[in-house]
Amino acid sequence: MIQTISSVPYDGQKPGTSGLRKKVRVFQQPNYAENFIQSVFDVVEGKTGTSLVIGGDGRYHNRTVIQTAIRMAAANGYGRVLVGAGGILSTPAASHVIRKYGASGGLILSASHNPGGPDEDFGIKYNIANGGPAPEKVTDAIYARTRTINRWLTVDAPDIDLDTPGRVTVGGMTVEVIDSVADYAALMETLFDFDTIRSRVADGFTMSFDAMSAVTGPYATEILERRLGFAPGTVCNGNPLEDFGHHHPDPNLVHAKALYDRMMSADAPDFGAASDGDGDRNLIIGKGIFITPSDSLAMLAANAHLAPGYAAGLKGIARSMPTSAAADRVAEALGLPAFETPTGWKFFGNLLDAGMATICGEESAGTGSDHVREKDGLWAVLLWLNILAVRDMPAKALAEEHWARFGRNYYARHDYEAIETEKADALMAALNAALASLPGQSFGPLTVSAADNFAYLDPVDGSESRNQGVRILFVCGSRIVFRLSGTGTEGATLRVYLERYEGVDGTLDAETPAMLADLIAAAESVAGIARFTGRTAPDVVT
Ligand code: VG1
Ligand code: CO
């Protein structure tokens, strides 16, 4: 029996870079999550009788929304829901499950790297049938629907047992509780040379993986410890916790500092890695060397053919605009097309579907390939392990070899968090107003060659996305990018991306802060960060 619950719209349900993210307390308001989910269902065409995948990163409020979403899916005519046991599905695993079982889409309940708990963040993202994040035309339609929604549909049915794999019926619809890890682990075995990695592990190769008390714990334990033979304890913080142990599940040098310190110590394991709240990001730290995500993308692309899944070579390499150009140099050397997209994985989907790109990446520690339609943290770790196992060399040596061949893109991102929105908007408005007058101006030793606000024309469907970040290019090839985050839940976060290229004859072994000092000063002069925001230093440097 379908029940129609009347409701009124909430303001502000516009999906950001990666779905709708708000404080848990906001999501707990009556009808809040229901309005958004119903708006998704109202917008999705042809869903009747199809399968819907539901899973999340295990954060606080995950189970509540999953039970609600299952009843709503039944009332909205879906034929089947596939849900990860315990409500757990990493974002890349959900993408794979959507593709493998031919679902029409999926709801991923996550706020990714944002903290979790009753006073922290929650999020809902809709993925389409290709397994990838809904493109802007779909998220725009969902948002438009949230502005007029006046009812949501449900059935009168009790909560299901989420923890026992098996099949139950809810309001006439089948619900399958599936093993969260099995399908994903099987996919990884088809892509990578597990035998060679296993033999290096047997020879004494060691690693440390920090799952940050988030969703990747069960995946990493199964794959790294059980299937590849790494010692028990290789996976740290491997149990998903609703509040991530009070940490930010953000794998960067600030929030994964313990791993970083360990990898820089004398008794470091050979390789270190971490993943984020929903398992789509990766942090790569070799013994004695942090690999920037931009460099990681380039190094993986240059060596991917060593893994069985990529032995035939790549079709193209895509990176988000703020990501360094290191990957472009690899594409050029390999004779491959290179693509530059706006921030957010949804912009890679068309390129992957069209077979124009095989590997994609973002400076924010997201890397992935055409095996799913999301960035994939463990995938990146396994590709690194595969490459290091075949090359039989440490990550540090591989990085040095890469820079000697391609040159080095020194890179950092400075984040200024929880700025008052008006101040951040004023800073960006002033920057945009100054764009035309910037070329020719000098800031210390740096002279601006070009300045613009990045717009992207999708080469597959011709859609255009404007206002994707301010780019300031300097004559020497260095670059500063300014943009506001689309994933925060408090005020605004200003991201300043700094990049300097040194060719193969340049300085390849310097410390990044020293190499970027002139650019950091120029960023302040160009944008007036202190003047607009009152901040004199970033909150996070990655
Ligand atoms: C951030 C990152 C972006 C990433 C997005 C979602 O977005 O910069 O590269 O795709 O998070 O990642 P923003 O708008 O805050 O800069 V995740 O791991 O939250 O799904
Ligand atoms: Co994430």
Side-chain angles (χ1 to χ4, degrees):
M1 212 2 224
I2 294 171
Q3 300 179 337
T4 303
I5 314 292
S6 62
S7 182
V8 290
Y10 279 98
D11 280 339
Q13 292 198 321
K14 187 174 171 57
T17 312
S18 184
L20 180 69
R21 285 190 199 175
K22 300 286 174 193
K23 291 285 172 209
V24 166
R25 305 258 183 236
V26 173
F27 268 104
Q28 284 173 328
Q29 297 173 91
N31 303 332
Y32 192 92
E34 291 85 347
N35 273 11
F36 187 75
I37 293 168
Q38 186 64 50
S39 296
V40 171
F41 292 162
D42 284 348
V43 160
V44 175
E45 286 166 10
K47 63 184 176 299
T48 305
T50 66
S51 299
L52 178 74
V53 173
I54 304 179
D57 63 14
R59 70 179 58 225
Y60 182 82
H61 206 46
N62 195 36
R63 286 170 177 263
T64 309
V65 176
I66 286 179
Q67 299 285 2
T68 302
I70 289 171
R71 283 186 282 266
M72 290 180 67
N76 278 275
Y78 281 95
R80 173 173 72 153
V81 159
L82 296 160
V83 59
I88 295 276
L89 277 177
S90 78
T91 291
S95 183
H96 177 53
V97 170
I98 292 170
R99 296 164 67 78
K100 176 169 178 181
Y101 295 98
S104 59
L107 290 171
I108 300 179
L109 312 179
S110 168
S112 187
H113 56 286
N114 299 23
D119 295 314
E120 300 294 354
D121 294 352
F122 191 75
I124 305 181
K125 188 170 73 146
Y126 180 68
N127 281 28
I128 59 174
N130 76 350
E136 277 189 328
K137 64 175 190 309
V138 177
T139 55
D140 287 349
I142 293 168
Y143 177 53
R145 182 65 187 131
T146 68
R147 313 280 299 152
T148 59
I149 189 132
N150 57 7
R151 58 90 185 95
W152 52 276
L153 308 180
T154 190
V155 294
D156 183 17
D159 285 358
I160 66 155
D161 173 6
L162 275 177
D163 296 299
T164 312
R167 189 176 294 198
V168 293
T169 300
V170 173
M173 177 190 75
T174 304
V175 180
E176 284 180 39
V177 179
I178 59 172
D179 184 303
S180 306
V181 176
D183 289 321
Y184 179 84
L187 175 66
M188 293 300 116
E189 294 227 31
T190 68
L191 299 173
F192 301 116
D193 184 352
F194 273 46
D195 286 340
T196 301
I197 302 173
R198 253 193 304 265
S199 72
R200 298 281 175 236
V201 175
D203 289 347
F205 184 90
T206 54
M207 81 170 286
S208 179
F209 181 91
D210 188 347
M212 305 194 85
S213 305
V215 79
T216 16
Y219 297 85
T221 305
E222 170 64 25
I223 294 170
L224 299 176
E225 296 186 5
R226 294 204 195 99
R227 300 198 186 193
L228 289 172
F230 282 103
T234 293
V235 177
C236 319
N237 302 314
N239 286 329
L241 301 176
E242 287 198 328
D243 64 355
F244 310 116
H246 293 296
H247 294 296
H248 284 234
D250 194 349
N252 60 34
L253 299 183
V254 176
H255 298 298
K257 185 156 188 315
L259 176 71
Y260 178 78
D261 289 345
R262 179 144 186 243
M263 294 309 298
M264 297 302 137
S265 71
D267 59 350
D270 295 305
F271 190 70
S275 191
D276 73 333
D278 61 332
D280 56 0
R281 298 195 191 189
N282 67 92
L283 172 72
I284 302 295
I285 312 180
K287 187 174 191 160
I289 185 171
F290 162 61
I291 311 274
T292 69
S294 294
D295 270 352
S296 175
L297 170 65
M299 292 167 190
L300 291 178
N303 293 282
H305 60 278
L306 300 174
Y310 306 93
L314 309 178
K315 292 172 182 147
I317 305 172
R319 64 167 172 87
S320 67
M321 182 275 282
T323 305
S324 95
D328 301 16
R329 296 179 206 288
V330 174
E332 201 188 336
L334 299 182
L336 297 172
F339 300 93
E340 185 177 31
T341 61
T343 294
W345 209 261
K346 57 179 172 259
F347 295 101
F348 294 129
N350 279 346
L351 297 172
L352 293 166
D353 282 352
M356 295 165 76
T358 306
I359 284 193
C360 310
E362 296 193 274
E363 53 64 42
S364 54
T367 332
S369 86
D370 58 1
H371 68 292
V372 290
R373 293 294 179 274
E374 287 278 5
K375 52 193 188 278
D376 189 342
L378 260 177
W379 169 90
V381 173
L382 292 168
L383 182 50
W384 263 100
L385 289 174
N386 192 144
I387 291 166
L388 295 180
V390 173
R391 301 287 310 272
D392 197 12
M393 70 199 292
K396 189 157 196 263
L398 188 122
E400 287 165 356
E401 176 199 88
H402 187 94
W403 295 330
R405 180 174 170 203
F406 296 101
R408 179 171 177 186
N409 293 70
Y410 287 91
Y411 189 89
R413 189 180 89 192
H414 290 193
D415 291 337
Y416 299 79
E417 295 177 342
I419 303 172
E420 281 170 53
T421 306
E422 303 76 53
K423 292 180 178 175
D425 288 345
L427 180 150
M428 291 303 291
L431 258 180
N432 276 303
L435 287 178
S437 65
L438 282 173
Q441 283 191 43
S442 291
F443 298 90
L446 300 165
T447 303
V448 177
S449 60
D452 68 2
N453 190 320
F454 181 62
Y456 178 63
L457 184 64
D458 187 306
V460 178
D461 68 11
S463 60
E464 196 178 10
S465 303
R466 296 174 166 277
N467 198 25
Q468 297 293 330
V470 165
R471 299 191 286 191
I472 300 180
L473 311 173
F474 296 94
V475 174
C476 58
S478 291
R479 184 181 77 151
I480 307 176
V481 173
F482 298 90
R483 62 179 282 281
L484 297 182
S485 159
T487 56
T489 58
E490 259 178 279
T493 293
L494 171 68
R495 302 202 196 282
V496 183
Y497 310 80
L498 308 146
E499 177 180 2
R500 167 176 172 177
Y501 178 63
E502 286 283 306
V504 290
D505 299 321
T507 308
L508 299 177
D509 59 355
E511 294 296 324
T512 299
M515 294 300 277
L516 297 180
D518 290 337
L519 275 170
I520 294 169
E524 175 56 42
S525 308
V526 173
I529 301 169
R531 182 159 43 90
F532 279 102
T533 69
R535 305 289 179 84
T536 52
D539 299 287
V540 177
V541 175
T542 53

